[in-house]
Amino acid sequence: MAKQRKIALKVPFVTRLEGEGALELSAKGDTIDKLYLKIFEPPRLFEKFLEGKSYQDVPDLNARICGICPMAYQLTSVQAIEDLFSIQLPDHLIQLRRLMNLGEWIQSHSLHIHFLAIPDFLGFESALSMAKQHPQVLQRGMQIQETGNALMTLLGGRSVHPVGLQVGGFGRLPELANWDAARQQVDQALPAAVELLRWTASLQLPDYSHDFIWVSLKHSEIYPINGGDITTSNGLTLHYWQYPDHFKEHQVRHSTAFYSLLDGKDYLVGPLARLNNNVAILPDSIKQLVNDNGLVFPNQNMFTSIQARAVEIILALTEAQQLLAEPCPTGDAHLPVTPQAGECCYCTEAPRGMIYHHYQLDDEGRVINCTIIPPTSQNQARIEQDLKYSVKKFGLNNSDDALKFFCERVIRNYDPCISCSTHFLEFKIVRK
């Protein structure tokens, strides 16, 4: 009988991701004994930092959770608190918030596709090493990303940790010249986004499809960003208040981050989950683009997440173009705010997936306690299960270098934001 190969493989840093973590894999023959996605960044304790803070400080502090998608953290808290305070915004402020959200999706997705994911498909270790041979790829990525940044700056004052958003509206409305400039950038970026979608559709993607649950917000009329029902692929439709009844966090020894399960099962959040749940309400023009390029949603192949992001970029630019075609808004930038004591919760869709916030405030609007559950912590258990399935199908008889690269690609499909998260993967493999 042939002796079974023992595998012990460690990847100290997974590259082209945000944050720090490691992967440890131990196997004997074709059996995986242990596979851990290890998050070793120290806890950042944002939930404790917020205790005692005024509702007015919560948005700006939450922006510091992530430099890539700060507005998602801001807006989730803002909308939860506005519900508690019985604040109903006028339509022009609701649309401005959606515009700002669209900008965040555009810049985050473009960053991931062009700088983190595409090097895998073109055979380079990094975007910098790819730049000499494929400068047009990065130029396209920067054009689209800068357009997203411009939309965030238009309403937030700056694209990184914006300061324009507040409970009750905005600090100020955009100026006409900036509104017109943003409209021109969006008009110029949209053809580049269509070209990007066609390019992603031409890729020969690996297929490691397998059964899993996906979760996102879902809306009957518009593609969900700032609200909707929590909808799961196994048939649940939930209000935000029902989130704790079904989603439970737990600690594992190998990670400083919490893991989240849906009724005891791992699940996916993010662009592929959103598109799977909401493909039917895409505008007809975008549905046509998806069909013409041979893309099929829903699906359970995580390698198609690059295509899902490309579809959402076109959607975001198309909506932004429509909003910016309207006159530059005038009137009140914010409504008066009267704090109230009580509890509140809300979910929105960050670029990487659904965010859940819960707050308890006193009668002065100060935070007594809070819970913030980001997309990456919700995806961690799903990433581990994906790796266990996909690595076995890929083949444990491959070299350590081949296994390391494959595992990094699988993880990058989820675009984990570990600090929130390009170094990521410390890879350790034990072959027994």
Side-chain angles (χ1 to χ4, degrees):
M1 180 181 293
K3 187 177 180 180
Q4 288 186 316
R5 184 187 183 199
K6 297 178 179 179
I7 302 174
L9 191 58
K10 286 186 177 181
V11 181
F13 295 102
V14 181
T15 57
R16 283 184 274 128
L17 296 172
E18 296 166 46
E20 296 180 349
L23 181 68
E24 184 170 344
L25 171 62
S26 176
K28 184 176 182 179
D30 61 357
T31 301
I32 295 174
D33 295 329
K34 178 175 66 176
L35 191 152
Y36 290 150
L37 181 62
K38 301 170 69 175
I39 310 303
F40 52 80
E41 288 196 354
R44 298 173 70 204
L45 305 175
F46 265 91
E47 291 162 326
K48 295 301 290 183
F49 291 158
L50 290 171
E51 290 182 8
K53 299 295 191 296
S54 168
Y55 73 91
Q56 296 169 309
D57 299 325
V58 169
D60 287 346
L61 289 171
N62 275 338
R64 269 63 180 178
I65 293 175
C66 182
I68 303 299
C69 45
M71 199 232 168
Y73 288 94
Q74 288 183 305
L75 192 58
T76 312
S77 61
V78 164
Q79 293 192 174
I81 294 170
E82 286 175 346
D83 273 1
L84 175 62
F85 293 174
S86 300
I87 295 173
Q88 295 186 343
L89 295 184
D91 186 65
H92 73 284
L93 295 184
I94 293 172
Q95 295 305 318
L96 287 178
R97 284 184 175 176
R98 187 169 178 88
L99 181 62
M100 193 175 177
N101 265 123
L102 294 169
E104 186 166 84
W105 278 23
I106 292 164
Q107 62 87 13
S108 178
H109 283 351
S110 185
L111 170 65
H112 172 81
I113 292 173
H114 292 90
F115 292 87
L116 307 181
I118 284 182
D120 287 339
F121 298 101
L122 298 183
F124 292 89
E125 290 187 355
S126 68
L128 290 177
S129 62
M130 183 179 72
K132 285 187 178 181
Q133 293 187 38
H134 301 277
Q136 74 285 356
V137 172
L138 294 185
Q139 288 167 358
R140 179 184 64 202
M142 287 187 288
Q143 178 190 5
I144 296 172
Q145 185 180 358
E146 287 171 1
T147 301
N149 286 339
L151 294 177
M152 293 184 69
T153 302
L154 176 69
L155 295 156
R158 59 194 188 201
S159 62
V160 179
H161 306 321
V163 294
L165 193 64
Q166 60 183 235
V167 174
F170 289 91
R172 61 173 178 79
L173 295 180
E175 297 177 0
L176 177 60
N178 296 333
W179 186 264
D180 291 341
R183 183 177 62 245
Q184 292 175 11
Q185 278 191 263
V186 168
D187 290 343
Q188 293 166 3
L190 193 48
V194 173
E195 176 193 337
L196 170 63
L197 178 64
R198 291 179 178 141
W199 184 86
T200 65
S202 72
L203 296 172
Q204 298 298 313
L205 297 177
D207 190 351
Y208 291 85
S209 299
H210 59 283
D211 189 45
F212 58 82
I213 298 168
W214 64 78
V215 179
S216 79
L217 297 181
K218 188 173 183 178
H219 198 283
S220 60
E221 298 178 359
I222 58 174
Y223 204 82
I225 300 180
N226 297 342
D229 294 324
I230 301 171
T231 305
T232 76
S233 60
N234 62 344
L236 294 178
T237 301
L238 308 172
H239 187 270
Y240 314 134
W241 285 107
Q242 295 174 285
Y243 185 99
D245 297 333
H246 294 271
F247 296 85
K248 305 293 184 183
E249 288 189 300
H250 67 280
Q251 185 81 56
V252 295
R253 285 182 176 273
H254 59 268
S255 176
T256 58
F258 282 122
Y259 278 48
S260 183
L261 297 177
L262 167 61
D263 294 330
K265 299 178 180 179
D266 61 87
Y267 62 97
L268 170 72
V269 298
L272 182 58
R274 276 194 300 266
L275 196 53
N276 281 350
N277 272 341
N278 296 281
V279 65
I281 60 169
L282 287 174
D284 289 342
S285 61
I286 299 178
K287 284 183 188 175
Q288 190 65 49
L289 270 175
V290 170
N291 293 333
D292 289 349
N293 284 279
L295 305 183
V296 178
F297 300 96
N299 72 67
Q300 292 178 302
N301 179 10
M302 279 305 300
F303 281 92
T304 66
S305 61
I306 188 174
Q307 297 168 339
R309 289 183 176 89
V311 171
E312 287 194 337
I313 287 175
I314 294 176
L315 171 72
L317 285 168
T318 301
E319 281 203 31
Q321 187 178 58
Q322 294 167 351
L323 291 170
L324 289 164
E326 298 296 324
C328 182
T330 58
D332 292 333
H334 57 85
L335 301 182
V337 176
T338 303
Q340 297 179 39
E343 294 186 50
C344 54
C345 61
Y346 211 85
C347 289
T348 68
E349 287 282 350
R352 289 169 176 81
M354 186 177 70
I355 297 178
Y356 169 80
H357 285 212
H358 174 273
Y359 296 89
Q360 182 180 7
L361 305 183
D362 65 19
D363 56 6
E364 294 183 351
R366 296 189 176 276
V367 177
I368 298 172
N369 58 66
C370 67
T371 299
I372 298 172
I373 304 180
T376 296
S377 68
Q378 298 182 72
N379 274 337
Q380 282 180 142
R382 172 87 289 272
I383 294 172
E384 286 191 347
Q385 294 304 312
D386 189 348
L387 284 166
K388 288 176 182 177
Y389 173 86
S390 300
V391 166
K392 286 189 69 174
K393 188 174 179 181
F394 176 70
L396 287 163
N397 58 334
N398 283 280
S399 69
D400 288 5
D401 285 345
L403 282 169
K404 175 183 182 295
F405 179 64
F406 177 76
C407 289
E408 287 185 317
R409 289 190 70 182
V410 170
I411 296 168
R412 275 193 287 271
N413 287 331
Y414 295 81
D415 194 20
C417 187
I418 292 171
S419 296
C420 118
S421 285
T422 188
H423 43 275
F424 174 57
L425 196 57
E426 174 182 310
F427 187 42
K428 176 183 179 181
I429 181 166
V430 178
R431 300 179 187 267
K432 298 179 179 178

